[in-house]
Amino acid sequence: HQQDDDDEHIKEIQTTIFSSTRSIFLTKSQEIIDQIDAILDVNDERGEDETTDNDNDNNDNTNIDPAALSMTRTTLKQRQTKIQNGFQSAASAKQLLNPDFFNEMPERRSILLGLTNGVLYHGKLQSIHIWQILQTILPELNESFVVEQEEDTCTSSSPWAAACPPKIIQRNIPQFILDAGNQFCDHQQMDLLNNNNGVCGNDNTIPIPTNIPDGYLGYHEMIPRDTSTDPLSTIFAEMDALMTLPESLNELEQQLSELNDETKKINQEIQSLWKQVGGPTQDRMGPNGELYGIQNECFSLIAGKYEYELCIFEQAYQRDVGGKKKTGTGLGSWRKMEIDESTGERIFRWEGGAKCWNGPQRSATAYVTCGAETKVLSADEPETCKYVMKMESHLACDDIYKRLNDL
């Protein structure tokens, strides 16, 4: 049903004053296209080498270069498509803008006013387009236009002839709109005198043109408003200024995106540096970053049939002697370093290791005292799956150690 409704709306729109030039163009241009198709078909039947009596005809149309005919046909088809698309858009608008919707509640007319302004602005309509629209919607102009059109016997004259010269009415129409109408009427009169629209004439057959100027068959293609010369642009000057904001916003958004990327990169570098030195409070690397020198290093000890391996910031392992490095039963992952403030002893902790059978997860704790070299001295399992090691390291040779040992 939607297509049927659109077809009905299109038929109605094609009978309006504003659409008359377009309807005429569709009809007349199709006649020319049919002529071109017939000529091209005849040329195809003749063939390049065939000679007939028709070669001596004085028919100008059949002697036109086929390439020129094809180009003319393409141009006419393109303009037909523009007109048909315009009718389709107008039909859709008519379907959506149901008058009953706006008549039910007068306050809704503000919506219609906003839509109108949007079309005028974003459609870049010229002053002359406003004048033409007024001819079709103002009763005092529309009625006289229709009457004079009915009295016009030259069906090929401009449909706007009855509106010329522009009439003065009791409405506040800007002078520049009337000036645009006067200029338009002058052009229409000139076209009529020169028969530039290609429609007037006693012959029912329209000559095939070799070029298609704007205004041919009375149809002028829509040209966007020239913002530098059309007075209508002054009305929309403030809107033009506002419409430049999106471009500025796009530039600012691009700059913001680039700054965010740069900030993210800097934060990643900061996090990497903090990771190396132990974070802002140096908790990870210990006071004064003392673990930095042994980070990710591993220290091993063989005790009985097992070898124990403790890796700073990594894992702790228990394996059979001779096993591969960093393999075996996991005794836990590095958890933290603590300091016994009374003795200066460092305590390394690994937690969350492999679960014992019917017992807890394995863990390892290393008690580190002062020594010239960082090494594991002993390993024991005082409780099930809880391993205790003793180590020496220069890390424990701090001020507390010096004070306790009178050094």
Side-chain angles (χ1 to χ4, degrees):
H1 296 296
Q2 179 65 44
Q3 185 60 49
D4 292 340
D5 290 341
D6 285 349
D7 291 342
E8 287 300 319
H9 287 315
I10 289 175
K11 290 179 181 178
E12 182 181 351
I13 291 167
Q14 286 177 329
T15 62
T16 62
I17 301 168
F18 197 79
S19 301
S20 57
T21 54
R22 292 161 175 78
S23 299
I24 291 172
F25 181 90
L26 289 177
T27 301
K28 298 298 183 179
S29 63
Q30 189 58 49
E31 293 178 9
I32 296 174
I33 290 174
D34 291 342
Q35 290 185 61
I36 292 175
D37 288 341
I39 293 170
L40 293 177
D41 289 343
V42 169
N43 287 344
D44 289 341
E45 293 175 0
R46 288 179 176 178
E48 294 183 359
D49 298 325
E50 181 179 354
T51 302
T52 66
D53 293 338
N54 290 333
D55 292 336
N56 297 321
D57 288 347
N58 292 323
N59 189 327
D60 293 336
N61 287 343
T62 58
N63 292 328
I64 298 177
D65 181 6
L69 289 174
S70 297
M71 185 175 298
T72 297
R73 183 184 188 279
T74 299
T75 302
L76 292 175
K77 279 289 188 182
Q78 290 173 343
R79 295 191 184 180
Q80 284 183 342
T81 299
K82 289 182 180 180
I83 293 173
Q84 290 163 347
N85 290 341
F87 284 151
Q88 186 65 54
S89 298
S92 299
K94 188 174 181 63
Q95 179 76 12
L96 293 172
L97 301 177
N98 189 325
D100 294 338
F101 174 81
F102 299 99
N103 293 331
E104 288 173 359
M105 300 178 64
E107 57 269 24
R108 289 176 177 172
R109 294 180 65 83
S110 62
I111 300 175
L112 188 60
L113 181 60
L115 290 172
T116 302
N117 289 334
V119 171
L120 295 180
Y121 178 75
H122 294 289
K124 298 186 181 300
L125 299 188
Q126 301 180 39
S127 297
I128 183 56
H129 299 144
I130 308 302
W131 180 80
Q132 291 175 332
I133 292 173
L134 293 177
Q135 306 306 307
T136 65
I137 63 175
L138 296 182
E140 56 266 54
L141 297 178
N142 183 284
E143 291 177 2
S144 62
F145 185 94
V146 173
V147 170
E148 294 187 38
Q149 272 298 102
E150 291 175 351
E151 294 174 355
D152 188 1
T153 57
C154 180
T155 58
S156 60
S157 64
S158 170
W160 296 104
C164 293
K167 297 175 177 61
I168 304 300
I169 60 176
Q170 296 300 317
R171 289 181 185 262
N172 187 21
I173 299 177
Q175 184 60 44
F176 70 85
I177 298 294
L178 297 176
D179 292 340
N182 277 314
Q183 185 177 10
F184 174 78
C185 288
D186 290 343
H187 288 187
Q188 289 290 298
Q189 183 64 25
M190 188 63 65
D191 286 344
L192 184 60
L193 292 175
N194 297 329
N195 196 24
N196 287 340
N197 58 19
V199 179
C200 280
N202 296 323
D203 191 350
N204 292 328
T205 301
I206 305 174
I208 298 177
T210 55
N211 68 310
I212 309 294
D214 187 42
Y216 180 71
L217 297 180
Y219 169 63
H220 292 266
E221 293 192 272
M222 293 287 290
I223 300 176
R225 179 174 62 251
D226 188 336
T227 56
S228 63
T229 60
D230 196 316
L232 188 60
S233 298
T234 59
I235 297 178
F236 294 114
E238 293 184 2
M239 291 185 66
D240 286 334
L242 290 175
M243 292 306 294
T244 60
L245 289 178
E247 297 181 3
S248 301
L249 289 177
N250 289 337
E251 294 177 2
L252 291 175
E253 288 176 352
Q254 179 63 29
Q255 293 177 16
L256 178 61
S257 177
E258 293 174 356
L259 289 174
N260 286 337
D261 291 342
E262 185 176 352
T263 301
K264 183 177 179 181
K265 182 179 179 181
I266 292 174
N267 286 334
Q268 290 174 343
E269 293 177 353
I270 291 174
Q271 292 302 319
S272 177
L273 292 172
W274 280 135
K275 185 176 181 180
Q276 293 181 33
V277 301
T281 59
Q282 297 185 337
D283 291 341
R284 185 170 182 267
M285 291 293 178
N288 301 317
E290 62 185 33
L291 290 176
Y292 185 80
I294 62 171
Q295 64 175 322
N296 302 323
E297 289 191 22
C298 297
F299 305 95
S300 301
L301 169 73
I302 295 176
K305 63 177 183 177
Y306 293 115
E307 179 178 10
Y308 296 89
E309 183 178 27
L310 307 177
C311 298
I312 308 301
F313 298 136
E314 296 182 8
Q315 303 284 326
Y317 303 94
Q318 178 196 56
R319 59 175 170 269
D320 294 335
V321 174
K324 187 178 180 181
K325 296 291 184 180
K326 294 187 177 182
T327 61
T329 303
L331 304 183
S333 301
W334 173 268
R335 178 69 177 85
K336 61 181 177 179
M337 179 186 75
E338 299 173 351
I339 299 178
D340 187 334
E341 296 295 338
S342 63
T343 64
E345 189 177 51
R346 270 59 175 167
I347 305 171
F348 297 164
R349 297 189 185 277
W350 289 264
E351 299 175 354
K355 191 176 186 302
C356 289
W357 182 82
N358 202 26
Q361 287 183 300
R362 291 176 170 82
S363 63
T365 304
Y367 295 90
V368 186
T369 58
C370 179
E373 180 185 354
T374 301
K375 59 184 178 181
V376 183
L377 301 178
S378 65
D380 195 8
E381 188 180 1
E383 298 181 44
T384 303
C385 297
K386 293 186 178 181
Y387 300 85
V388 177
M389 288 81 173
K390 291 185 178 180
M391 294 182 64
E392 284 186 348
S393 176
H394 62 280
L395 301 180
C397 302
D398 58 3
D399 292 339
I400 299 175
Y401 178 81
K402 292 178 183 179
R403 185 179 68 251
L404 292 175
N405 292 276
D406 297 327
L407 299 176

